[in-house]
Amino acid sequence: MELLRSALLPTTPFFTDPSPSQTPINPHTTKFKFRASTDTTNVPTTPTLLNPQAHLAFTAKKASDFSPGAQPSSEVSHCISLLRGNHVADCRQIHALALKLNAFEVNSWVGNKLAMLYSKNYELLDYAQKLFYEMPKRTVPTYAALISAYCRAEQWEDLFLVFRLMVDEGMVPDVYVVPTLLKACALTKMVGIGRMIHGFVIRKEMDSDVFVGNSLVDFYANCGDLGFAVSVFGAMRERDVVSWTALVSAYMNEGLFEEAMEVFDSMKVNGVKRDLISWNALVSGFAQNGEIDLALQYLEAMQEEGLRPRVNSWNGVISGCIQNEYFEDALDAFYKMLCFPEEPNFVTIASILPACAGLKNLNLGRAIHGFSLKRQLCGNTHVEGSLIGMYSKCGMKDYAEKVFSMAETKGIGMWNEMIAAYVNAGETEKGIELLRVMHHHGLKPDVVSYNTILAGHARNGQKNEAYELLNEMVRMDLKPNIISFNVLISGFQQFGLSFEALKLFCTMQSPSDGCFADFVLPESIQPNSITIAGALAACADLNLLSQGKEIHGYTLRNGFEPNVYISSALVDMYSKCLDIVSATKVFRRIEDRNTICWNAMIAGHVNNMQLNLALELFCEMLEEGLEPSSITLMMLLLTCGDMTALRFGRELHGYIIKSQLDQSDSTLTSALVGMYAKCGSIKEAKSVFDLEVKKDALLWNAMLSAYSTNGMLNNALALVGQMELVGVVPEI
C-alpha cells in the first residue's frame, strides 16, 4: 500500500487553505421544469444560449409531416441535410437556422430530429426536454431518444413521465424503447411496471426479438427473480452471447457459482463464442460474492483464450472487493491494474476511493485524488461524490466541503454524499439545511437524501424530528421504504429507545393501528432481515421474551431463520432474556456458523454465568477451524479474569501472540492486563503493559486499575505521575 501511495502522491496539496469553509454551497444549476403536455399556449421561460440567435423557444403552429415527395425550399433542404449529418456539436446553430427558415412549420421531422440530437448530449438534455414538450407531433424514435437519454442520466422520474406521456398519446413502444424501459425498471427495482411491460411484450409478440428477450432476462435477474429469468431464457427462440451472459449474471446475483459456471461452459458447447463481456460477468460475479481469488484466477484464464482484460474487467474485481469491505484486496487489485498496465477510468476512481475511506488512509486517498487530477478524471459527478465520502470519513470534512463547492455539476448523488458527511459528523442540522438548499435550487431530494437525515435523527434519539421528516417525505410524494424504517429502528435501539423501535416495527406492518396516521404511511411495509435483527435487539434490551418469541415465529413462517445474522440475533435475544436453552437450540440449528454466531453463544453463556461452558464452546470453535475475532478473545479474557482461570488466560495470551492479531488500538492488551490483574498475577500484567510500545489512555488506565485492584497504592501513585507526564488523564 505504501508503494501505491508513494507512486501516486502529488508534490503539492490540493487545498491550500486547511480551514473549513463557512458556506460550502455552490448552488446547483436550476433545471428547467416542464409539464408533460402538448399544450403550447403556456411555454416556460426560455433558457439563454451561448448563441443568441439559437433561441430555443418557438411556438409550434401547423406542421406537415415530412415525406420523400415533399419539396421544401433549398434553404430548408440544406437545414434538413445538416440534421441528417447528426452533428451534435452544431445542433444549436442548426436550431437557430431552422427557426430563421420556419423549418418547424414546414414539416415536423425537423423538430423531432433536433430533439433527438439534443438528447445525445447530457449537457443539452434540458434543451431536448423543452423542445420535446413544445412539439405538436412527436414520433416514437423521438420518445426513444429522450427515454434513452434519461436512462443514461439516471433521471428516473423524468424517464417514467415521458413514458406515461407516450402511452397517453397512443404511441406504442417498439423493440428499441422496451429494452431501455426494462433497464430502468431493473435499476429502480420497479418490479410491477417491469411485469406489465413483459405482459405488453407478450401481447405484441415482441418476445421473439432477441434484444427484448435479453432485457427481460436482465430485468428479472436484477430484481432477484431467478426463476423468471431462467424461464424467459428457456423460452427464447433465438439466443446470442448477451442472452447467455445475462443468465450467468442472474446465477451470480444469487451466489450460485456452480450453476453460473455450468451456463458459462455451456456457451462453448452450444457454439457461442464467449466474449470479453461474458468473462467480465463471471469475474465480477465471483468478486461480488467475496471470492476474490477466483475472480483473479479467471482474470488470468480469459487471457488464455486470447482476451486481454480491459478496464471494466478490473473495475468488476475492485467493485466486488469494496462491496465485501475487502479494502486491502481492492487496493492490491488497483495496483495490479496499473502495472498490467490498464488505464483507470471514472468508474475505477469512484470505486477505489471508498477503500481509502474504509481504511481511514487519508494520504492514499489524497494520492489517488492527485492521480485523478493529472488524468482529468475529477470532472465526473460519481468521482467527486466518492471524494466527498472519502474526505469526510477520513475526518477532513473541510476538504469534502471544498470538493462539493468546486464541483461544476452537482448530481443528486453528490448532494446526498455531502448531506451524509454532515450527518456522520454529528451535524444533522447542516444536513437538513443542505436539503432545503436543494429545494431552493429546484433539485428535488430523493429517498436517499431523507433516509440519511432520518438515520442522523435516530442515532441522536430525536424521534419527534424523525417522524416529522417522515411526514415531509409523504408530502413530497416520496414513499418511505424499508431502508427508512431500518435506519430508524436500529438507530432508536442503539440510542436506548428500544420500546420506540419495537413500536415502529409493529407500525410499519399495520400503519392504521400504529402511531402514524394513514396519510403518513399509506401502505404496510414488510420487514427484511435487517429490520428483524433490530427488533430482536430491542426485545433483548427490554428482556421481552414473549415478544421475542413472536418475532421468532415470524422468522420461521417467512423463512428468515436460516439467515446467519437473524439466527445470531435470536441467540442473543434468548440469552439476554435468560432462556439459554432456546438460545442453544437456535445455535445448534445454524448450518454455516460464522464468528458472529459463536460470539453470540459464548456471550450468552457468559451473561448466564456459565463460564465453563463459554470456555468449552471456544475450544469447539477452534476445532471446527474457525478463527476467533478480537471480540471473542475480549469476552474470554474477561471470563478468565472473573473465574481467576490463570492457566487458560495464559493459553489465550499465547494464542494472541501466535495469531499476530491487530492490536493497534491496544484493546486486547488492556484486556490481558485486566485478566492478569484479576488473577492476582500483577507481575505478568506489568510485563504486558511494558511490552506495548504505543500506550493509549485505555491501556494506562487498565494498568492503574490493576494496581488499585491488588492494593498496590504506591505503584498506582507512581503510575499517575507517569500518566501526567505523557498527558493522559487518570479515570480512577
Side-chain angles (χ1 to χ4, degrees), residues 205-422:
E205 298 182 348
M206 291 184 186
D207 48 339
S208 59
D209 184 271
V210 67
F211 300 108
V212 173
N214 292 343
S215 300
L216 282 167
V217 174
D218 184 69
F219 160 71
Y220 284 116
N222 280 291
C223 290
D225 196 332
L226 179 61
F228 260 102
V230 174
S231 176
V232 171
F233 179 83
M236 290 177 68
R237 301 172 195 173
E238 179 187 352
R239 303 186 190 110
D240 58 12
V241 64
V242 179
S243 318
W244 290 89
T245 303
L247 193 60
V248 169
S249 297
Y251 280 118
M252 279 298 187
N253 289 346
E254 299 299 318
L256 301 172
F257 306 141
E258 291 184 8
E259 289 83 351
M261 282 300 305
E262 187 178 334
V263 173
F264 188 73
D265 292 337
S266 296
M267 293 172 70
K268 203 169 185 178
V269 175
N270 285 272
V272 179
K273 187 177 181 181
R274 300 179 295 199
D275 60 8
L276 183 62
I277 298 174
S278 307
W279 281 94
N280 286 350
L282 195 70
V283 168
S284 63
F286 280 125
Q288 286 163 14
N289 285 284
E291 300 291 341
I292 310 303
D293 291 337
L294 279 173
L296 293 172
Q297 179 183 323
Y298 279 95
L299 204 63
E300 293 180 4
M302 76 164 70
Q303 297 175 61
E304 296 174 7
E305 286 203 6
L307 291 170
R308 184 180 187 275
R310 305 299 298 180
V311 63
N312 288 342
S313 314
W314 293 99
N315 287 348
V317 177
I318 292 169
S319 297
C321 293
I322 296 297
Q323 287 176 25
N324 290 280
E325 298 187 357
Y326 299 157
F327 301 129
E328 295 278 2
D329 289 333
L331 291 169
D332 186 45
F334 180 57
Y335 183 67
K336 287 177 180 176
M337 176 184 182
L338 295 176
C339 296
F340 187 65
E342 184 63 44
E343 193 69 17
N345 61 9
F346 297 115
V347 177
T348 320
I349 303 302
S351 300
I352 199 62
L353 283 167
C356 305
L359 296 169
K360 301 290 189 293
N361 194 326
L362 177 62
N363 287 335
L364 185 56
R366 290 180 68 247
I368 292 174
H369 189 178
F371 174 86
S372 307
L373 285 169
K374 290 177 185 176
R375 283 162 173 75
Q376 298 182 329
L377 295 173
C378 283
N380 179 274
T381 55
H382 296 292
V383 172
E384 288 167 330
S386 289
L387 282 168
I388 291 169
M390 184 273 292
Y391 280 124
S392 65
K393 288 170 186 173
C394 289
M396 301 299 290
K397 182 169 61 64
D398 53 335
Y399 279 21
E401 289 175 333
K402 289 184 178 181
V403 171
F404 181 78
S405 62
M406 290 164 61
E408 293 182 6
T409 304
K410 295 180 177 68
I412 185 71
M414 194 182 303
W415 286 85
N416 288 342
E417 282 286 1
M418 197 64 236
I419 289 171
Y422 285 130

Side-chain angles (χ1 to χ4, degrees), residues 29 63 68 88 104 171 219 260 406 423 437 517 519 525 531 600 605 645 730:
T29 305
V88 178
F104 299 105
M171 297 284 187
F219 160 71
M406 290 164 61
V423 171
V437 173
F519 76 91
I525 297 177
T531 328
H605 286 309

Side-chain angles (χ1 to χ4, degrees), residues 22 26 62 75 78 121 138 210 240 278 288 292 295 379 440 464 586 590 656 666-667 689 731:
Q22 296 296 319
N26 179 18
K62 293 182 179 179
E75 290 179 320
H78 175 63
N121 188 333
R138 295 178 277 265
V210 67
D240 58 12
S278 307
Q288 286 163 14
I292 310 303
H440 180 71
N464 293 333
V586 173
I590 303 173
I656 291 169
S666 78
T667 305
F689 176 79
E731 294 180 1

Side-chain angles (χ1 to χ4, degrees), residues 132-154:
F132 176 82
Y133 284 126
E134 289 185 348
M135 289 190 301
K137 278 196 171 185
R138 295 178 277 265
T139 62
V140 171
T142 309
Y143 273 105
L146 196 58
I147 287 172
S148 295
Y150 284 141
C151 188
R152 291 192 299 271
E154 298 183 2

